[in-house]
C-alpha cells in the first residue's frame, strides 16, 4: 500500500464577480414608467382602459366627457363674443335714439323738496326725492312733470332734466362706460350659460347611465343571488 502523499491539495479559486461601474453619488436607478397592455401610461383615464370590469356605459361616459369638454371650452368664447356684439349694437343704437328724441333742458322746482333727516351726511349726497318741476319742451309749451332731485331744494331752484317731445322726463342716454359695462355683463353671462348647459347635460346623462347600471346590476344579481344564498 503506497504511503499517503504529503502534498496538500491545491485549493480551487473562484473567479471574482464582474465589477460594476461606479455610480456618482446621489444618482438613483430610474424607475420605469408603468404601462398598460397597449403601451399606454398608467395615467390613462380608468374608464378608457381595457379591463374585465369595464362596461360599455363606462366607455360611453368617458368618450362623452372627452368630447363635451373641448366643445364647451370652444363654444363658451364664441357665445361670449356673439352676445357681446349683439349687446353692444343694441345699447349703442338705444343711446343714439335717446339722444335724438330727448332734450337736455333746465327745469324749475314748483315746490320744496323734502329734507333729509341727516343733513350733511354721506347718505344725503346719494339720496334723491321726487318733486314736481316745470320746464319748456322743444315746441315751446310749458310742461309739469315729476323728477328726482337732491333733498332740501327750495321752490324756484333749477335742475337739469332729459325730456322727450311728449313732456315726459327720463334718465340720460347711456354713456360709453355704461354700454361697455352692460356688454361685458352679457358676454360673461353667455359664457357661463354655455358652461352651465354643458355641465347640466353631462350630469343628466351621467345620472341616466348610473340608473341604468344599477338596473343591470340588479338584473344580473337576481340570477346570481340564488347560487350564493340557497343552502345546498
Amino acid at each position: 500500500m503506497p504511503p499517503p502523499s504529503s502534498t496538500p491539495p491545491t485549493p480551487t479559486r473562484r473567479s471574482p464577480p464582474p465589477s460594476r461601474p461606479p455610480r456618482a453619488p446621489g444618482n438613483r436607478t430610474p424607475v420605469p414608467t408603468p404601462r398598460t397592455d397597449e403601451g399606454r401610461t398608467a395615467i390613462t383615464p380608468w374608464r378608457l382602459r381595457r379591463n374585465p370590469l369595464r362596461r360599455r356605459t363606462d366607455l360611453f361616459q368617458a368618450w362623452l366627457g372627452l368630447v363635451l369638454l373641448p366643445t364647451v371650452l370652444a363654444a363658451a368664447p364664441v357665445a361670449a363674443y356673439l352676445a357681446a356684439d349683439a349687446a353692444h349694437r343694441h345699447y349703442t343704437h338705444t343711446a343714439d335714439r335717446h339722444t335724438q328724441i330727448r332734450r337736455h333742458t333746465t327745469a324749475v322746482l314748483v315746490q320744496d323738496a323734502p329734507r333729509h333727516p341727516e343733513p350733511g351726511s354721506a347718505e344725503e349726497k346719494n339720496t334723491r326725492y321726487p318733486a314736481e318741476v316745470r320746464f319748456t319742451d322743444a315746441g315751446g309749451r310749458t310742461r309739469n312733470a315729476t323728477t328726482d332731485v337732491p333733498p332740501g331744494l327750495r321752490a324756484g331752484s333749477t335742475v337739469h332734466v332729459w325730456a322727450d317731445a311728449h313732456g315726459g322726463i327720463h334718465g340720460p342716454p347711456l354713456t360709453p362706460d355704461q354700454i361697455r359695462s352692460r356688454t361685458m355683463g352679457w358676454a360673461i353671462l353667455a359664457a357661463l350659460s354655455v358652461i352651465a348647459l354643458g355641465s347640466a347635460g353631462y350630469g343628466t346623462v351621467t345620472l341616466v347611465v348610473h340608473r341604468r347600471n344599477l338596473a343591470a346590476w340588479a338584473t344580473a344579481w337576481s340570477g346570481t343571488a340564488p347560487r350564493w344564498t340557497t343552502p345546498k
Side-chain angles (χ1 to χ4, degrees):
M1 182 174 182
S5 176
S6 61
T7 304
T10 304
T12 303
R13 295 184 178 181
R14 296 181 180 181
S15 57
S19 60
R20 298 180 179 179
R23 292 189 303 173
N27 290 350
R28 297 182 179 179
T29 304
V31 179
T33 303
R35 294 181 176 273
T36 61
D37 56 348
E38 297 184 1
R40 295 173 297 181
T41 59
I43 62 175
T44 306
W46 70 270
R47 293 181 186 274
L48 295 177
R49 298 178 192 171
R50 189 181 300 277
N51 62 80
L53 298 179
R54 188 185 70 180
R55 299 162 296 191
R56 297 177 60 182
T57 54
D58 295 331
L59 189 62
F60 168 76
Q61 188 174 350
W63 280 111
L64 177 64
L66 291 178
V67 172
L68 192 59
L69 178 61
T71 302
V72 170
L73 294 179
V78 175
Y81 172 79
L82 296 177
D85 180 66
H88 187 270
R89 287 189 286 105
H90 168 72
Y91 289 122
T92 301
H93 174 72
T94 302
D96 293 340
R97 184 168 57 87
H98 288 172
T99 303
Q100 296 175 359
I101 64 176
R102 296 177 185 178
R103 188 172 66 96
H104 196 209
T105 184
T106 302
V108 180
L109 265 71
V110 176
Q111 58 185 4
D112 294 343
R115 292 183 177 275
H116 194 273
E118 298 180 1
S121 63
E123 183 181 356
E124 181 191 19
K125 298 179 181 179
N126 299 325
T127 303
R128 295 294 182 269
Y129 291 109
E132 185 179 359
V133 296
R134 181 181 297 111
F135 64 96
T136 304
D137 61 12
R141 291 173 295 183
T142 302
R143 300 276 190 172
N144 283 20
T146 301
T147 187
D148 294 334
V149 299
L153 288 183
R154 296 287 185 178
S157 301
T158 58
V159 292
H160 296 284
V161 295
W162 286 86
D164 58 18
H166 303 287
I169 295 180
H170 306 275
L174 295 176
T175 63
D177 290 339
Q178 291 174 329
I179 295 176
R180 188 180 305 110
S181 176
R182 297 189 181 190
T183 298
M184 292 180 59
W186 279 107
I188 295 174
L189 181 60
L192 293 179
S193 298
V194 171
I195 297 175
L197 288 176
S199 302
Y202 182 78
T204 302
V205 173
T206 301
L207 180 60
V208 173
V209 169
H210 178 66
R211 291 182 176 179
R212 182 175 180 180
N213 290 339
L214 291 179
W217 181 86
T219 301
W221 179 247
S222 63
T224 307
R227 291 182 293 175
W228 290 84
T229 58
T230 303
K232 297 182 179 180

